[in-house]
Amino acid sequence: MTKWTPQIAEAAGPRYMAIADALAGDITEGRLKPGDRLPTHRDLAWHLGVTVGTVSRAYAEAERRGLTAGEVGRGTFVSAPASNEHLHRWNDAPPGSIPMRSSFPIPCPEESAIAAVMARCAASPRAMEMLGYQPQRGRPEHRQAGADWLTQNGVETSGEQITVTAGAHHGMLVVLAAITRPGDHIVADSLTYPGMLGLARLLGLRLDGLARDREGPLPDAFEDACRAHDVKAIYLCPTLHNPTSVTMPDERRRALAAVARRYDVGIVEDDVFGFLAEDRPPPVGSHAPELGYYIVGLSKTVSAGLRVGYVVAPDDAQLRLSQAINSTCWMACPLTAEIAAELIHSGVAAEVAAGRRRAAAQRRDLALAAFRGWDFESDPGANFLWLHLPDPWRSNAFVEEAERRGVLITPSDVFQVGRRDSVHAVRVCFGPSRDTEELKRGLDILAGVLQEGPSYAFSSMV
């Protein structure tokens, strides 16, 4: 048993929450490590001079955050942090395996036009100018290109409101750095983009997951979190949500925006998949523009390696965004932003995005046919689906069996905020293979594992 006595004498708020916060801090600082067995409820209560009930509530809160796991008869142990290993192993996949774990843009014939645009930019007299230092928020013409791209896709804005970032993920980092400080509380859907978990750890933020239904986070859960904590931001991916692919209806968007407005909570809105959807409601932030930070990139719609993002933010936030960019990369790469602007203004970006939508729809049809009769979610426009597993499957066991058969997919615990493996599902992506026959083989293998049923699942987990 680990000798652990948290320092909570000076902490504000409920004792149980102070214990859970101290536990989180000691894990972050490395004073507690995965697998460490924590003191019993009674021992810790005696050392801290609190009731056993207080410690029980603290341990329950820590488990809810995914910090610990209890084992009957053995005690409470520090959990290993959620691993993104499944997301980052695409480039060292075993030979002959079928990669279906990363949501790469679907290959399409239209993407061949990108090379000609790059050649024009390289031959332009402006090319050398693009290799020099530029304003932190991007050159005016690059910001305007971002505004034009958003306007083409149904989001009216102006170049003055745009900040150019080194991709949408960097845009999320910049926004959070601008509106939060270490120790602040932020919230997100209990199933969320795993990059947000990493950003919260990097910035020292306390990330809580919100209870959800199939339309997204529950407004009541958001309100409860705001009452319990001084929540600084809510992170949302409301269109083709990663990992479930669901597009949040407008009524839910309005309800979440209303809560944000009541409690003055920043809305960090990731719409990186949004332009793949044929039709979608207005951004959540459009219902509370003074709080909205709307983030898009070109990686899912145009090119994964084109690390250019555009952030629409309130006027009074622009200086803080500029400072955050200055502190992280000084500026987004001007040459890349120039290529993006040329792609947008030449119409090639729109043509490629349309091609990727068509290719994704064709592959989605294959997936719908393969999993007919099983429980899954995959909204039109998505290049992945969220497959709910029948009992007694657990997501990691299913992923391991799929990988044994040569198919690489992602387990649900990678996306969970809080308690791990409380959801038994997997994300199945439709790319990046250029060979649809390979995709069909992968889908057939996964459907076969499902079809073999519970008895096989039990034997595979023994």
Side-chain angles (χ1 to χ4, degrees), residues 356-439:
R356 298 211 191 280
R357 278 194 293 271
R358 287 190 291 270
Q362 292 167 358
R363 295 193 176 202
R364 178 174 171 271
D365 287 344
L366 296 175
L368 298 187
F371 295 120
R372 185 173 291 116
W374 299 101
D375 183 14
F376 63 87
E377 297 164 74
S378 184
D379 275 13
N383 59 16
F384 54 88
L385 63 75
W386 186 241
L387 178 63
H388 297 274
L389 300 175
D391 286 335
W393 276 118
R394 296 297 178 261
S395 62
N396 280 290
F398 188 89
V399 167
E400 288 168 8
E401 178 58 26
E403 185 165 352
R404 190 182 71 80
R405 301 188 188 199
V407 181
L408 310 179
I409 54 176
T410 310
S412 55
D413 63 347
V414 168
F415 305 97
Q416 289 180 245
V417 182
R419 185 176 177 182
R420 305 295 172 198
D421 208 29
S422 59
V423 175
H424 307 302
V426 292
R427 190 185 69 176
V428 179
C429 297
F430 308 152
S433 173
R434 293 186 174 276
D435 182 359
T436 56
E437 291 303 315
E438 181 180 74
L439 173 66

Side-chain angles (χ1 to χ4, degrees), residues 154-190:
V155 180
E156 294 287 342
T157 187
S158 66
E160 289 75 16
Q161 290 181 289
I162 293 284
T163 293
V164 182
T165 61
H169 186 88
H170 180 239
M172 291 159 53
L173 170 64
V174 165
V175 168
L176 288 174
I179 66 176
T180 66
R181 293 294 178 267
D184 281 349
H185 279 272
I186 63 173
V187 296
D189 191 318
S190 60

Side-chain angles (χ1 to χ4, degrees), residues 37-83:
R37 183 183 175 191
L38 296 177
T40 67
H41 297 213
R42 190 174 300 279
D43 284 348
L44 188 58
W46 185 85
H47 280 99
L48 294 179
V50 299
T51 67
V52 173
T54 296
V55 175
S56 296
R57 290 186 70 190
Y59 280 10
E61 170 67 15
E63 183 171 358
R64 186 188 68 78
R65 298 186 197 180
L67 302 172
T68 63
E71 298 184 23
V72 177
R74 295 192 62 218
T76 301
F77 296 82
V78 175
S79 295
S83 172

Side-chain angles (χ1 to χ4, degrees), residues 223-442:
E223 183 131 28
D224 288 345
C226 292
R227 287 172 177 158
H229 307 290
D230 181 15
V231 175
K232 296 298 184 184
I234 180 172
Y235 167 74
L236 297 168
C237 181
T239 302
L240 302 180
H241 169 251
N242 187 9
T244 69
S245 86
V246 170
T247 293
M248 185 185 296
D250 190 54
E251 183 179 0
R252 178 65 56 87
R253 297 177 186 227
R254 290 177 182 272
L256 291 170
V259 176
R261 220 170 207 169
R262 280 197 292 277
Y263 294 92
D264 195 30
V265 176
I267 301 168
V268 182
E269 187 167 357
D270 176 3
D271 202 30
V272 70
F273 292 104
F275 295 175
L276 293 173
E278 292 290 353
D279 188 25
R280 68 193 193 282
V284 178
S286 68
H287 304 301
E290 75 280 9
L291 299 169
Y293 296 83
Y294 180 79
I295 304 166
V296 299
L298 300 180
S299 63
K300 306 301 181 185
T301 49
V302 181
S303 174
L306 197 63
R307 308 308 298 172
V308 177
Y310 304 109
V311 177
V312 182
D315 291 342
D316 60 2
Q318 302 298 349
L319 176 59
R320 283 174 286 142
L321 292 177
S322 179
Q323 292 169 337
I325 291 173
N326 184 48
S327 298
T328 54
C329 67
W330 184 267
M331 61 183 178
C333 175
L335 185 57
T336 310
E338 178 81 352
I339 294 169
E342 179 62 20
L343 286 167
I344 291 166
H345 289 146
S346 67
V348 170
E351 292 170 6
V352 173
R356 298 211 191 280
R357 278 194 293 271
R358 287 190 291 270
Q362 292 167 358
R363 295 193 176 202
R364 178 174 171 271
D365 287 344
L366 296 175
L368 298 187
F371 295 120
R372 185 173 291 116
W374 299 101
D375 183 14
F376 63 87
E377 297 164 74
S378 184
D379 275 13
N383 59 16
F384 54 88
L385 63 75
W386 186 241
L387 178 63
H388 297 274
L389 300 175
D391 286 335
W393 276 118
R394 296 297 178 261
S395 62
N396 280 290
F398 188 89
V399 167
E400 288 168 8
E401 178 58 26
E403 185 165 352
R404 190 182 71 80
R405 301 188 188 199
V407 181
L408 310 179
I409 54 176
T410 310
S412 55
D413 63 347
V414 168
F415 305 97
Q416 289 180 245
V417 182
R419 185 176 177 182
R420 305 295 172 198
D421 208 29
S422 59
V423 175
H424 307 302
V426 292
R427 190 185 69 176
V428 179
C429 297
F430 308 152
S433 173
R434 293 186 174 276
D435 182 359
T436 56
E437 291 303 315
E438 181 180 74
L439 173 66
K440 284 188 209 176
R441 288 198 304 275

Side-chain angles (χ1 to χ4, degrees), residues 186-206:
I186 63 173
V187 296
D189 191 318
S190 60
L191 289 171
T192 202
Y193 167 53
M196 177 51 63
L197 280 69
L199 289 177
R201 286 194 295 269
L202 178 68
L203 296 172
L205 304 174
R206 301 176 183 182

